[in-house]
Amino acid sequence: MDVLDDYLACVRAHGAVFCRTVSTPPWGLRFIEPAPLALTVMLHGDGWVVPAEGDPVALQQGEIVLIRSTQPYTVADHPTSTPQILVDGDDHCTTTSDPASPRRNWRITGRTSSPEGYQSGDDSDLLVTAGYRIGSDLSLPLLDTLPQVTVVPRDPSLVPLLDLIADETIGDKPGQQVVLDRLLDLLLVRSLRAWFDQAGSVPPLGYRALSDPLLGHVLRRLHEEPSHPWTVASLATEAGLSRTTFARRFTSMVGRPPLTYLTHWRMALAADRLRQPGATIAAVAKEVGYNDAFTFSSAFKRTRGISPSAHRGATP
């Protein structure tokens, strides 16, 4: 496990929507209750993302857009196009258009919408979009680093994956939704990698240090065994460096001193565990490397500004 593994462990695509327009626009989808994170890709043709705030964002064929918004937004062939499909928070599509209109003749099945009579090879726009459920607060540091709308440029290495997704949208196949969701999980990870590797992006703490052959190993060990009684000396040994050199290098590349980074990660894990039914403070303390609940509670409140019991009580 590493930083990105842990941040994405509870992020899953659910109910991917794939929508094809008849060859002549206009077309549009309105996401009424969007997921905390969504991914949209034009597999054929171009489109626009119209967020609740800010300017419309052009989306060219093969580009991927990551959208972070709790407010409704639209994906359409043009910023001024009227949405014909409404996607709600219960994984359903409904149409707002006249079923007799040849330009708006959509077939609605769950969250799958496409024009009647579509055949592979039609010169139609092909859009795939997925909302991602966030099953844990551990993912929040990653989400917080993303802009409201993130455009990931076309990447030739992703063409085979995009082709698989496009092929899966043709017809109704057994297990189609599951296959699409898993392919879009993979596309999300690849998209995040591509975005964080760009100059000017702000990845989560520790992400860029993963590429360092010495610090990357240490970070993976911290995430694999957060409860281990790590010290600066033991971590420096893992890295094959002196304590001073290791501490300086870690702080410079990660953004926090080694044990401060470890404490924050332990408290993030603890905050997540405390939300689980039946979890006790003593058990969670031991799980993240503390021998007694008092020391753990002090560290938790110092790091997160709230006591473990208050945090647990505030959990919905």
Side-chain angles (χ1 to χ4, degrees):
M1 299 288 283
D2 60 34
V3 176
L4 195 57
D5 289 329
D6 280 324
Y7 285 153
L8 291 175
C10 295
V11 178
R12 289 288 182 271
H14 178 75
V17 181
F18 56 91
C19 302
R20 310 180 187 93
T21 72
V22 181
S23 57
T24 303
W27 57 265
L29 293 88
R30 180 70 171 170
F31 294 85
I32 303 172
E33 299 177 15
L37 177 65
L39 178 150
T40 297
V41 57
M42 291 297 304
L43 297 174
H44 191 278
D46 300 331
W48 289 81
V49 176
V50 185
E53 299 177 354
D55 297 330
V57 177
L59 180 57
Q60 297 182 344
Q61 182 171 317
E63 290 184 332
I64 299 164
V65 168
L66 303 176
I67 304 166
R68 283 196 62 226
S69 179
T70 57
Q71 301 183 59
Y73 65 88
T74 298
V75 181
D77 69 295
H78 189 274
T80 61
S81 293
T82 301
Q84 298 129 5
I85 300 295
L86 302 179
V87 184
D88 66 24
D90 295 320
D91 304 339
H92 292 98
C93 293
T94 56
T95 182
T96 63
S97 59
D98 179 0
S101 170
R103 290 187 179 183
R104 300 177 174 82
N105 194 16
W106 297 79
R107 174 171 55 85
I108 309 298
T109 307
R111 284 194 66 179
T112 300
S113 52
S114 60
E116 294 285 2
Y118 175 87
Q119 298 292 330
S120 176
D122 282 357
D123 186 21
S124 304
D125 293 340
L126 175 55
L127 164 74
V128 173
T129 183
Y132 292 85
R133 291 179 172 177
I134 309 300
S136 167
D137 286 351
L138 294 179
S139 305
L140 297 181
L142 181 145
L143 297 182
D144 290 342
T145 66
L146 296 172
Q148 183 185 24
V149 179
T150 302
V151 179
V152 180
R154 178 181 173 85
D155 182 347
S157 71
L158 292 179
V159 170
L161 176 56
L162 297 181
D163 287 344
L164 279 174
I165 294 172
D167 180 69
E168 191 61 33
T169 65
I170 299 171
D172 293 322
K173 308 167 186 175
Q176 182 182 48
Q177 191 69 72
V178 174
V179 172
L180 276 170
D181 287 348
R182 297 296 77 80
L183 288 174
L184 287 160
D185 283 341
L186 175 57
L187 185 59
L188 174 63
V189 178
R190 293 291 300 274
S191 300
L192 288 170
R193 283 181 185 168
W195 173 252
F196 290 141
D197 287 344
Q198 289 189 96
S201 68
V202 182
L205 285 176
Y207 179 84
R208 290 207 167 109
L210 290 173
S211 61
D212 183 283
L214 303 180
L215 294 188
H217 168 70
V218 170
L219 281 166
R220 289 181 176 89
R221 293 283 284 132
L222 287 177
H223 280 257
E224 288 168 356
E225 297 187 63
S227 63
H228 185 79
W230 296 109
T231 63
V232 173
S234 64
L235 291 171
T237 299
E238 289 282 342
L241 299 170
S242 69
R243 290 178 56 182
T244 301
T245 301
F246 165 73
R248 181 170 59 246
R249 185 165 172 171
F250 189 101
T251 303
S252 174
M253 293 195 70
V254 175
R256 283 177 178 158
L259 297 187
T260 301
Y261 178 91
L262 174 61
T263 297
H264 277 79
W265 177 238
R266 284 172 167 174
M267 296 306 111
L269 289 171
D272 186 64
R273 303 294 191 270
L274 286 167
R275 292 183 182 276
Q276 298 176 3
T280 67
I281 293 175
V284 171
K286 190 172 186 63
E287 187 176 349
V288 297
Y290 288 82
N291 291 325
D292 66 86
F294 178 79
T295 303
F296 163 74
S297 296
S298 297
F300 190 95
K301 187 171 184 178
R302 183 174 63 253
T303 302
R304 301 185 68 90
I306 188 173
S307 69
S309 56
H311 171 81
R312 185 175 56 184
T315 300

